[in-house]
Amino acid sequence: MSGVRPAREERPGDDGTEDAGHPRRWAILVAVCAALLVIVVDNTVLNVALPSVARSFDASTAWQQAVLDAYTVVFSGLLITAGAVSDRWGRRRAMVTGLLVLGVSSAAAALAWSVWWLVLMRALMGVGAALVMPATLALLVQVFPAHERPRAFAVWGVVASVAMALGPVAGGAVVELWDWPGAFLINVPVVCGAVVAIVRLVPESRDSRVRAVDPYSAVLITVGMVALTSAVILAGEGPMTRPLLPTCGAVALVAVAAFLRRQRRTASPMVDLALYRDRQFAGGSMAVTVISLGTGSTLFILAQYLQLVDGMGPLEAGLASSPMAAGIVLGSYAGGRAPARIGHRRSIVLGFTGTAVGFLVLAALAVHPGYVLVAVGLFLVGGGNGFAGPAVTSTVLGAVPKDRAGMGSALNDTHQQFGVAFGVAVLGGLLAAVYRAELPSTVPPHASGALAATLDHSDALGGSGGHALAVAARAAFTQAQTATMLAAGGCVVAGVVIAAVVLRNDSPVPAGTKMRPDRRTRLTRTRLTRVHLTRQRRQERLDSER
């Protein structure tokens, strides 16, 4: 349709050879990253606009949280279903449709006349983002040969991580220019450019076996993931939302259990559970989930430290987080080449070890406060993640059959999103608990839940008593941040151990080398083929009986 030659299917022969990839694959990467940019920025850009939203609509704290969470909950809940849809329907078509939904709902959100309309449009933006995200990695798997994928994944990771780090900066700038609607209007031109580039450059690809999307499985996994993500978020929100927590947890448990049972029995599963028997897929997925748990709340916590302890403004605090973006860029540049030189497992272990060291540096702020430690710690956290990211992504997706790349990409994104959501809830709860324990016992309960509330209470007190309370509150928050950063570092260390123990020690392979798959890989492929044939014969038998 676009006049571009479709990407050749990569079909390794007995000698393990592969094709050279799509001739315009690097231009395709730029188009895919433009789509990715919109999705990731939407995760962080709205934070600095919330005070303006609250003033415009007289929105309570609960409504503000609903505006933020509507996007995340719907996005994470639909990822697996969206991956299956993109495999069946076409990945380019799914990406273009998702971008159009995202662009239209962003424009509608900018014209919101009430806070409930804003929540509804944020949820619709999550639907569009879910359609786009799995297709981004799946398309890269299609157009890049195996030896170039770590470099492509490195660029993908740089765009995703830098967009997350710079989202607050962009948000602060557009809110100052156009008030809170600017946080939504910024999406429209980027979406238009991405749609044009994708239609002109990106080839269509889909599952060659044309699996039908099971509607029952789609409903079960969507309900299960939305309920599970909601339960994780509610767990960290405080006592007001706790009554909803058991309900969300029970719905998630029942829906996910029913989904897994159906996947084991159906001839054409939406998620191939046999993948989790592959130690590369299972080990990489487990490691990235645990590490996302530790790193997901880094900017959330440090943004409070920079603004409420160091006294920076929102835009200044966003700029102060730039060392993390710089570390990601440099780390990804080196990490894209590292698997060919030292192997995937060593790249992952080395990168995440650097991330753990970064968290130790950030934990030292209680002893040596100052921006220098913040900058060094953020640089190490970003650099470690950037270095390990390409190896992790290529390890996980390398275990997935190429025609199910949409499913593999969706699972990879789901592991990360769940790790981030769970990390925000758990580490945010730890931060609040330690902070309350370190505060003076004379602080009333309504002022002890967060540093901002305590500082407001100290301003109301005034005088020397108010000043002393403000100093004590900032010291308590610094202590709580130290405990949280140590916990985050522990999560990263656990991920390092998982990667070192579970993943196989692959030998580095120079680009373009033709090699025969090792015996373990051939056996894994044979088992997956047998599972598929058994399910196919079972379905044929059921059809004949009908």
Side-chain angles (χ1 to χ4, degrees):
M1 292 177 62
S2 62
V4 179
R5 180 178 66 86
R8 288 183 293 157
E9 288 291 329
E10 180 182 304
R11 299 187 182 278
D14 292 337
D15 59 352
T17 59
E18 63 179 14
D19 70 359
H22 195 283
R24 302 179 70 176
R25 56 192 177 275
W26 295 105
I28 292 170
L29 176 62
V30 174
V32 168
C33 286
L36 177 68
L37 181 69
V38 184
I39 299 171
V40 179
V41 166
D42 276 334
N43 265 322
T44 57
V45 72
L46 193 60
N47 288 281
V48 294
L50 277 180
S52 181
V53 170
R55 288 192 300 269
S56 296
F57 299 115
D58 194 22
S60 65
T61 302
W63 275 111
Q64 294 178 55
Q65 190 64 42
V67 172
L68 282 178
D69 291 345
Y71 180 86
T72 305
V73 170
V74 175
F75 177 36
S76 59
L78 287 175
L79 276 171
I80 293 177
T81 300
V85 169
S86 69
D87 280 342
R88 162 82 173 178
W89 195 32
R91 287 141 192 159
R92 185 180 69 171
R93 184 181 298 175
M95 183 180 291
V96 170
T97 302
L99 283 171
L100 292 176
V101 171
L102 189 60
V104 171
S105 55
S106 296
L111 302 175
W113 63 87
S114 66
V115 68
W116 67 263
W117 177 262
L118 200 56
V119 172
L120 181 62
M121 289 303 102
R122 282 282 290 175
L124 192 57
M125 290 167 66
V127 175
L131 283 171
V132 174
M133 180 62 94
T136 59
L137 285 174
L139 283 169
L140 298 187
V141 171
Q142 295 293 323
V143 301
F144 279 91
H147 68 271
E148 285 186 347
R149 284 177 200 157
R151 295 176 63 187
F153 293 151
V155 176
W156 184 94
V158 166
V159 172
S161 300
V162 171
M164 182 176 294
L166 298 184
V169 181
V174 297
V175 169
E176 289 184 3
L177 289 174
W178 302 313
D179 205 9
W180 65 264
F184 299 100
L185 291 175
I186 194 176
N187 290 339
V188 177
V190 182
V191 165
C192 292
V195 168
V196 171
I198 289 168
V199 170
R200 290 180 60 86
L201 295 173
V202 176
E204 186 59 280
S205 66
R206 55 175 56 88
D207 188 339
S208 60
R209 285 175 285 197
V210 196
R211 296 174 175 85
V213 177
D214 181 3
Y216 299 105
S217 295
V219 171
L220 287 172
I221 191 58
T222 301
V223 171
M225 290 305 300
V226 168
L228 183 59
T229 308
S230 300
V232 171
I233 293 174
L234 290 173
E237 290 302 313
M240 295 297 293
T241 57
R242 293 288 167 79
L244 295 175
L245 183 58
T247 302
C248 289
V251 171
L253 182 62
V254 172
V256 171
F259 173 79
L260 295 176
R261 183 172 180 268
R262 187 170 182 84
Q263 298 312 291
R264 287 194 296 268
R265 295 191 173 191
T266 184
S268 182
M270 182 182 293
V271 174
D272 192 349
L273 299 180
L275 285 172
Y276 289 94
R277 301 174 190 169
D278 186 310
R279 62 188 295 178
Q280 296 295 94
F281 182 87
S285 299
M286 189 182 303
V288 77
T289 301
V290 173
I291 290 166
S292 296
L293 191 153
T295 58
S297 58
T298 304
L299 290 178
F300 166 74
I301 295 171
L302 284 178
Q304 296 182 66
Y305 177 85
L306 293 173
Q307 294 184 60
L308 301 178
V309 177
D310 277 2
M312 296 183 181
L315 182 58
E316 189 180 4
L319 291 172
S321 66
S322 58
M324 185 173 183
I328 290 167
V329 172
L330 295 177
S332 297
Y333 179 81
R337 292 163 171 76
R341 298 176 180 176
I342 62 176
H344 288 74
R345 188 178 76 167
R346 291 190 183 96
S347 300
I348 295 170
V349 170
L350 181 60
F352 287 144
T353 299
T355 300
V357 173
F359 279 118
L360 291 178
V361 173
L362 293 174
L365 284 170
V367 181
H368 300 288
Y371 178 69
V372 173
L373 281 184
V374 173
V376 173
L378 284 176
F379 182 82
L380 289 173
V381 170
N385 277 340
F387 188 86
V392 172
T393 305
S394 56
T395 296
V396 173
L397 295 187
V400 181
K402 192 176 179 183
D403 59 357
R404 303 296 322 264
M407 176 200 65
S409 174
L411 287 174
N412 183 65
D413 295 333
T414 301
H415 297 147
Q416 292 182 356
Q417 289 294 325
F418 179 73
V420 170
F422 195 77
V424 169
V426 173
L427 296 183
L430 175 63
L431 179 76
V434 176
Y435 174 70
R436 285 192 295 266
E438 294 289 333
L439 278 177
S441 58
T442 56
V443 178
H446 73 273
S448 62
L451 176 57
T454 310
L455 293 178
D456 288 341
H457 181 65
S458 69
D459 290 339
L461 289 176
S464 59
H467 176 72
L469 177 58
V471 171
R474 291 187 174 97
F477 185 87
T478 304
Q479 293 292 336
Q481 177 183 263
T482 295
T484 306
M485 292 301 167
L486 288 174
C491 294
V492 176
V493 170
V496 170
V497 173
I498 291 170
V501 173
V502 178
L503 297 181
R504 290 192 295 271
N505 185 21
D506 58 323
S507 300
V509 181
T513 300
K514 298 179 179 180
M515 60 173 293
R516 183 178 177 84
D518 62 22
R519 180 175 180 272
R520 190 186 299 270
T521 300
R522 293 197 305 273
L523 289 175
T524 300
R525 291 178 180 173
T526 301
R527 285 196 298 268
L528 291 174
T529 302
R530 287 174 180 171
V531 169
H532 172 69
L533 290 175
T534 300
R535 287 171 174 158
Q536 195 173 40
R537 289 167 185 164
R538 184 191 305 165
Q539 186 64 39
E540 290 173 354
R541 186 172 64 252
L542 291 174
D543 292 341
S544 64
E545 291 175 355
R546 291 170 184 168

